[in-house]
Every structure is written in structure tokens, then in C-alpha cells.
Amino acid sequence: MELAYYSDYAVRLVNSEEPARGKDSLTSVEAVRGLFAGNASAARRATDADVTRFRSVRARLRAVFEAADRGDETLAVDLLNSLLLEFPVSPQISGHEHRDDDGSPLWHMHLADHPSNATAGFAAIAAMGLAFHLTEYGVDRLGLCEASPCRNAYLDTSTNRSRRYCSDRCATRANVAAYRARKRLEADRSVSTGLAADSAQRSAASGER
């Protein structure tokens, strides 16, 4: 498993809140456990106290995406480094649950955390995964959705660095909004042109009299 895979942990946590819409799904220990996806053993460590702790880490991870989205690479890296220092992990070679055709282990890199609580474990993996993604693909591959008012985080893995939205749904909504705006502008221009033509005709008629 590529270590950059763990960057999805950061995206899941950041997108558990939509500030512009006033939505926050991180309101219970069950919601915290859901963020661990298939890591059931890690999810079981979560307690009610982790709700507040997760929200704190979420704000710090969003700040990384916001800095990257503004083009402030130095700040994005500094913020991420502070998380890496506070929540360390140990990269290890693992072959668990991965076997080839003859039953031999398929060795891969794995991030082993040694957390004092569920938040520390999740934050360590999310920060390290995001760090690998950043160094592998560049700071500009960390973005925030441009479809107002979404602002969900995303990781741009496109070949030409062209991604601007967190999902196809937001891309479609933004394109429809842009199309409608162009149509309104064209209509306004048409009306203005018509009014100007009418005014010119009236002026010409007045001059003839």
C-alpha cells in the first residue's frame, strides 16, 4: 500500500464539516469511529472525549489545505510539520492479509501508530499520509472545492493539475451556474443594445422634426 493512500484520512476528517453551510457531522463518538473506515481495531479505541480532540485536529488540517489553496506553500508545510512533530508514526514493513499465489507475503510499507488515544492515532496517520502526498505531487495538489459554498478538501491526482472541485456533483453545479450567468449576461447585453437602438431611433426622429 502506498503511504500516500493515508492522505485520504485527512480529507475525510476535514470534510466532516462544511463551515459555509453550517454543517458538522462530527458530533458523536460513532461519527469519530466512522472516519476510521475499515480500521475497526483503531475505531474501537475512540471515546466521547475524542469528539472534541478530532475537531481540533480537523481545524489544523483544514488550515493546511487553506494555505495550499492560497498558494502559501511555506505556511502549508509549516502547519503540516507541526502536526507531524506532535503526532509521530513508525513506518514498518508489513505483509499481513496480503498473499501472492503461492501464499508468500506481499510486503508493503505500513504506518504503525503508537497512540495514547484514538485522536492521536488518526492524526498521526492523516498527517503522515498528507505529507507523503504533498512531497510526491506538490503543494498545489492540495485544494479546496471552488463550487461555492462547498469548500470541501480534495487531493488533485489529475495528470495536468486541472482539478478544481471535490466531486463531479460540485463540478456539474458550478458549470450550470456559470452557464446561467453567461446567459443572464447575454440577455442583459441584448436588452441594453435594444434600449440603445431605441434611444438612437427616437433621437433621430426628434432631429428630423
Side-chain angles (χ1 to χ4, degrees), residues 3 10 59 84 90 106 155 162 184 195-196:
L3 294 181
L84 292 170
S90 302
L106 294 176
L155 300 171
S162 61
R184 285 195 298 270
L195 291 174

Side-chain angles (χ1 to χ4, degrees), residues 29 32-34 36 38-47 50 117-118:
V29 66
V32 168
R33 290 170 178 159
F36 284 92
N39 194 341
S41 60
R44 283 194 293 269
R45 293 198 298 260
T47 67
D50 285 299
N117 55 64

Side-chain angles (χ1 to χ4, degrees), residues 5-17 25 34-39 58 65 122 125 153:
Y5 160 84
Y6 291 105
S7 56
D8 286 338
Y9 276 58
V11 173
R12 285 202 300 271
L13 178 54
V14 171
N15 292 346
S16 67
E17 180 185 29
S25 64
L35 291 170
F36 284 92
N39 194 341
R58 179 179 64 187
F65 279 92
F122 190 100
I125 292 174

Side-chain angles (χ1 to χ4, degrees), residues 13 16 24-36 43 46-55 58 119:
L13 178 54
S16 67
D24 187 351
S25 64
L26 193 54
T27 58
S28 66
V29 66
E30 288 76 18
V32 168
R33 290 170 178 159
L35 291 170
F36 284 92
T47 67
D48 289 332
D50 285 299
V51 176
T52 300
R53 289 194 288 254
F54 260 66
R55 287 179 171 179
R58 179 179 64 187
T119 302

